[in-house]
Amino acid sequence: MSRSPSFSLKPDQPTSKIDPQSLSKWVVAFCTIRFDLEQGQLIEECFPPGSLTQEEELEIAFSSFPDSVSQHHNRSTIHDCIFFFRFRRGGRKASDFGNQLSPNKLDNNSNSGRYLYGFVFNRQRHDERLKRGGEQKSVVLLSHNPYSGVFKPLLQIMGPLYFDIGKKALEHIATCVSMWPSPLPGNLMELPIGNATLKVNLPPPHSLSSDGGISFEESTSSMAPFLPNNQSIPQGLFHDADIFGIYRGLLLQLWLLWELLLIGEPILIIAPTPPQCCEAVAALVSLLAPLLCSVDFRPYFTIHDPDFAPLNSLQEGHAFPPMLLGVTNLFFLKALRNIPHIVSVGSPFLSSSRLSLAPRASSGRISARPEGIGIRNLSLKKFSPSNLLNAVKLRREGPLCLMTEHKEAIWSTYNATTKPDTSILNRLIDAGMSPRVEESMSVVNNEILRRHFLELTTNFLAPFGPYFRATTPSEGSSPFVDPPPLPPFNSDEFLGSLSARGPGKFLAKRMRYNWLDLYRRFLKGQNFKPWFQRRRAVAEQEQHRLWRQARMKTDIQQFISKMSELEIVDSFNSIERYLLAEMQSGKANADHAAVCQKLKGDLETVFNVLPKDMQQSLLLNPQREALLQGSHERKDVTDCIIILLVDNILNIHHSSFSRNPKVETP
């Protein structure tokens, strides 16, 4: 755990008034939960009061403590840890897991409820004078947003502060948070907390699911398809996850895990402690950037979660839903035996995850000089006769062997298409046993790995680029006609075209001959449709912006001088339609005013060149006359917009009706 920012606060310091609306943009509630030997988990405080239902409080209480089965006893007086969980508000109907279970039932964008993230500071205190030799308490922060880079450092302040001054800590922290500016996804934010300041890059809008309260416009912004130059800018969720630290013993399998999550395969990750299983889930999700992860991921999943019972009752032969579950309770190995991919990570000993992979000298000492880990060392470790026998034994025994001894391993029958990149593995640095050097080298290794998988995912998604390509009006053509629609997407046509031209140089070097099957699985998986729909929305918004910009730059006089009378009438109707749409948008800024002024001028220009009889016919509509003259008050203009919109709809309907002679009038 990194060092906490400094924070000073007097117990008798008065609390400022909290703005609930400002607080809710970051935090739903703060809770303190005590583990009672007779009554179980009890919520002692919930601030602000009434923020959660009784069912939600119960679920939060059960998820805020380490599983007793997973704990390895230690004699430390005080043991603190930070982890997080994720659950759906409002729960889920049991029928969703019945015989008609499908991947869509577990989609993040389902209407059954928004997700809540619970970030936990758990303290275990060893004291022989107490029953069972100790006590447990947790401080929990609830939010709709997965801002781990904000909430983990905040918990490092709030947790110890609560155990120092009690419930007042929650109110003081809530006061500070309520004074923060609104979250700006994709931006660097400086968030004051006491005498400290948290400087955090929030994840980009396109990586956040719509159930987090983010608007559609925000979620479709900043989705550039290019690789960023600044590595500190997140391109997806959990940019702070320690990929190298948690998967150090399974580096060769990262490409397999990336592929499984990419196509939406169900994965169970088991680790000795909640912080380790959370880190493993978060690190794996971060590898998908810049792709939106639409698989239901649960960083810390317990048997008390409402979704466990339906999953446990799945009948033999029924497909397991696309989920990424992080667990510590070994009971899941038996309860969810139908899950096809199981990953075991971490170590029951806190320091074991930092063991060196450098070759040991005959004396058994570890070299202190930082070295490249190297594919050669990894390969020898994997394919030596003794390790080959151990691998065969592991496969034969299956994941149930973890019941007797924890080992880092993967059980899966899936044959990966993507090959491990040896050049990336050779660049990773092994820093020996020094904790400070180890932490620095882990940062470097994480940047190498994250950059590579960002590039891998970006290149994998590149063939879809033509379906998101916005067009502009060709030279000499009118920008007042409707822009052409984006190319329609057809899976079979896409796969056929891709098969003919190949995957591209980057992927061709890193994928096997069956690379097209990976695209086929991706199209059927959980992640494709939500990502594709957002990218299309971005392209449509960009095309709208380009054509709107073209209308601003167009000299209408040049166009109407070359038009026939019928084309001039069509242009008048088009400009009027765009003007009404702009006025109906509800925007109030200088750009909006300039566009309205330009369109109004163009409308008057086109109107003035129309024949007198046509002008008189158009002016028979008093609302159109008011729009052209601009002499009425705002209320009259609003009324004229509504009437003209109805008039336009009726005209369009009449036009389409007249082109369909097969329809009989009543």
Side-chain angles (χ1 to χ4, degrees):
M1 186 182 299
S2 60
R3 292 178 292 278
S4 304
S6 61
F7 184 84
S8 61
L9 182 68
K10 297 179 180 179
D12 58 347
Q13 181 176 329
T15 303
S16 304
K17 186 177 180 180
I18 297 174
D19 180 4
Q21 186 174 2
S22 298
L23 178 65
S24 65
K25 293 178 181 178
W26 290 95
V27 174
V28 173
F30 298 99
C31 299
T32 59
I33 308 169
R34 176 173 58 88
F35 183 80
D36 186 274
L37 293 178
E38 297 179 354
Q39 303 180 56
Q41 293 88 341
L42 296 176
I43 291 188
E44 294 184 325
E45 304 287 345
C46 185
F47 186 86
S51 303
L52 304 166
T53 66
Q54 289 185 349
E55 292 78 9
E56 289 170 346
E57 288 185 354
L58 183 63
E59 187 163 354
I60 291 165
F62 277 120
S63 300
S64 298
F65 290 93
D67 258 326
S68 58
V69 179
S70 69
Q71 296 308 290
H72 295 261
H73 297 286
N74 61 73
R75 310 304 294 177
S76 301
T77 304
I78 293 178
H79 176 68
D80 296 337
C81 68
I82 291 178
F83 58 93
F84 71 103
F85 57 90
R86 181 179 189 250
F87 71 97
R88 192 192 300 271
R89 300 196 79 170
R92 183 183 289 128
K93 296 179 181 179
S95 60
D96 289 348
F97 288 91
N99 294 331
Q100 298 177 353
L101 180 68
S102 69
N104 293 332
K105 295 292 183 183
L106 295 174
D107 188 10
N108 286 6
N109 300 320
S110 171
N111 293 325
S112 59
R114 298 167 61 186
Y115 282 103
L116 264 184
Y117 294 83
F119 292 83
V120 182
F121 181 96
N122 173 258
R123 172 164 288 185
Q124 298 178 356
R125 186 169 68 90
H126 177 74
D127 190 338
E128 295 289 355
R129 296 170 297 180
L130 300 174
K131 289 183 179 181
R132 296 193 183 179
E135 65 175 1
Q136 287 193 69
K137 217 168 192 181
S138 291
V139 180
V140 187
L141 181 156
L142 284 307
S143 176
H144 286 299
N145 301 306
Y147 297 154
S148 57
V150 175
F151 298 136
K152 285 184 179 180
L154 185 60
L155 273 179
Q156 289 179 299
I157 296 173
M158 184 174 68
L161 186 65
Y162 170 78
F163 287 104
D164 285 343
I165 67 173
K167 130 180 217 190
K168 274 284 183 185
L170 305 185
E171 298 176 8
H172 285 294
I173 296 296
T175 300
C176 293
V177 174
S178 69
M179 292 188 291
W180 288 354
S182 299
L184 296 174
N187 288 271
L188 173 65
M189 301 201 71
E190 296 188 2
L191 308 171
I193 183 79
N195 63 335
T197 300
L198 302 178
K199 294 184 178 181
V200 184
N201 280 290
L202 297 186
H206 64 259
S207 67
L208 302 172
S209 59
S210 57
D211 58 26
I214 189 170
S215 68
F216 176 78
E217 289 76 13
E218 290 175 318
S219 68
T220 55
S221 65
S222 305
M223 296 182 69
F226 307 109
L227 292 172
N229 294 321
N230 189 345
Q231 289 297 293
S232 65
I233 299 177
Q235 295 300 307
L237 296 181
F238 311 122
H239 188 75
D240 56 330
D242 187 4
I243 305 170
F244 176 77
I246 195 63
Y247 286 109
R248 186 167 187 171
L250 299 171
L251 289 176
L252 280 167
Q253 308 299 331
L254 280 180
W255 286 263
L256 166 65
L257 296 176
W258 170 82
E259 196 169 308
L260 289 175
L261 188 58
L262 178 75
I263 62 178
E265 283 287 309
I267 304 172
L268 178 70
I269 295 181
I270 189 162
T273 64
Q276 291 181 63
C277 76
C278 289
E279 197 73 13
V281 170
L284 186 51
V285 170
S286 74
L287 294 184
L288 281 192
L291 180 68
L292 169 69
C293 181
S294 295
V295 171
D296 184 0
F297 62 90
R298 306 296 181 93
Y300 179 51
F301 190 73
T302 72
I303 59 175
H304 303 289
D305 192 293
D307 288 341
F308 169 68
L311 290 173
N312 187 35
S313 63
L314 280 176
Q315 299 297 318
E316 194 77 30
H318 287 143
F320 203 91
M323 299 181 77
L324 174 60
L325 302 179
V327 303
T328 59
N329 195 334
L330 298 173
F331 174 71
F332 281 102
L333 295 174
K334 295 181 178 179
L336 304 183
R337 57 188 176 275
N338 292 332
I339 199 165
H341 314 288
I342 297 178
V343 184
S344 173
V345 297
S347 168
F349 308 103
L350 294 179
S351 60
S352 63
S353 63
R354 297 299 185 186
L355 292 177
S356 172
L357 292 181
R360 293 175 181 266
S362 58
S363 63
R365 293 183 2 176
I366 300 173
S367 171
R369 177 176 61 86
E371 303 180 25
I373 288 179
I375 185 63
R376 182 174 299 176
N377 295 331
L378 290 172
S379 299
L380 288 175
K381 180 179 178 181
K382 184 177 180 182
F383 297 114
S384 63
S386 60
N387 281 287
L388 184 60
L389 290 175
N390 289 336
V392 173
K393 183 180 178 182
L394 274 176
R395 180 177 292 273
R396 184 176 67 250
E397 293 177 346
L400 288 178
C401 69
L402 298 174
M403 302 288 287
T404 56
E405 180 186 3
H406 185 82
K407 303 171 183 177
E408 292 184 300
I410 293 181
W411 288 269
S412 174
T413 58
Y414 180 83
N415 293 318
T417 299
T418 314
K419 297 179 287 188
D421 194 310
T422 58
S423 64
I424 295 300
L425 293 173
N426 282 323
R427 289 173 57 195
L428 300 181
I429 301 172
D430 181 34
M433 294 294 288
S434 170
R436 181 168 296 183
V437 176
E438 185 81 4
E439 185 176 351
S440 300
M441 293 302 99
S442 188
V443 170
V444 174
N445 290 336
N446 284 330
E447 288 184 357
I448 293 172
L449 290 170
R450 189 166 283 110
R451 175 76 181 187
H452 167 73
F453 281 99
L454 176 63
E455 192 174 5
L456 179 63
T457 308
T458 302
N459 277 276
F460 179 81
L461 299 175
F464 297 96
Y467 298 97
F468 313 131
R469 194 166 295 149
T471 60
T472 57
S474 57
E475 187 175 354
S477 63
S478 173
F480 295 104
V481 298
D482 291 329
L486 296 176
F489 182 80
N490 179 278
S491 298
D492 294 334
E493 292 178 1
F494 169 78
L495 292 171
S497 173
L498 186 59
S499 176
R501 67 176 184 270
K505 291 182 179 180
F506 184 89
L507 294 182
K509 295 178 181 178
R510 293 165 175 83
M511 290 190 173
R512 297 182 172 90
Y513 68 93
N514 60 337
W515 58 269
L516 195 63
D517 290 337
L518 182 59
Y519 278 96
R520 191 173 287 110
R521 293 189 182 101
F522 175 64
L523 293 177
K524 296 178 181 178
Q526 192 80 357
N527 292 313
F528 171 69
K529 188 175 180 180
W531 168 80
F532 187 84
Q533 288 176 339
R534 283 201 184 183
R535 291 291 290 131
R536 290 281 280 199
V538 172
E540 288 169 355
Q541 285 186 346
E542 177 64 10
Q543 184 158 278
H544 171 76
R545 185 190 67 82
L546 292 173
W547 282 69
R548 184 172 179 261
Q549 191 178 61
R551 287 191 286 271
M552 285 291 291
K553 295 179 178 179
T554 296
D555 183 358
I556 193 66
Q557 290 282 7
Q558 293 183 357
F559 278 102
I560 59 178
S561 63
K562 304 174 184 177
M563 292 180 180
S564 64
E565 182 177 318
L566 182 59
E567 290 173 330
I568 293 175
V569 174
D570 288 340
S571 295
F572 179 88
N573 292 330
S574 297
I575 295 171
E576 182 184 61
R577 187 172 73 252
Y578 284 117
L579 176 58
L580 293 174
E582 192 71 36
M583 297 174 71
Q584 280 281 52
S585 66
K587 298 178 181 178
N589 52 48
D591 180 61
H592 167 71
V595 172
C596 288
Q597 191 66 28
K598 172 66 165 60
L599 291 176
K600 184 178 177 183
D602 290 346
L603 189 68
E604 292 174 350
T605 300
V606 175
F607 177 81
N608 289 334
V609 301
L610 290 172
K612 292 296 182 182
D613 58 338
M614 181 67 72
Q615 291 181 0
Q616 292 174 358
S617 175
L618 291 172
L619 290 177
L620 290 177
N621 186 323
Q623 287 76 27
R624 180 174 286 117
E625 180 183 12
L627 186 65
L628 284 167
Q629 295 176 353
S631 59
H632 287 230
E633 297 180 356
R634 177 176 294 272
K635 183 179 183 300
D636 297 327
V637 174
T638 302
D639 291 341
C640 93
I641 290 172
I642 296 173
I643 295 173
L644 285 174
L645 282 172
V646 174
D647 189 45
N648 276 330
I649 293 171
L650 292 174
N651 287 338
I652 293 171
H653 175 73
H654 175 72
S655 176
S656 60
F657 173 78
S658 63
R659 290 194 299 267
N660 190 359
K662 295 182 181 180
V663 179
E664 297 181 0
T665 57

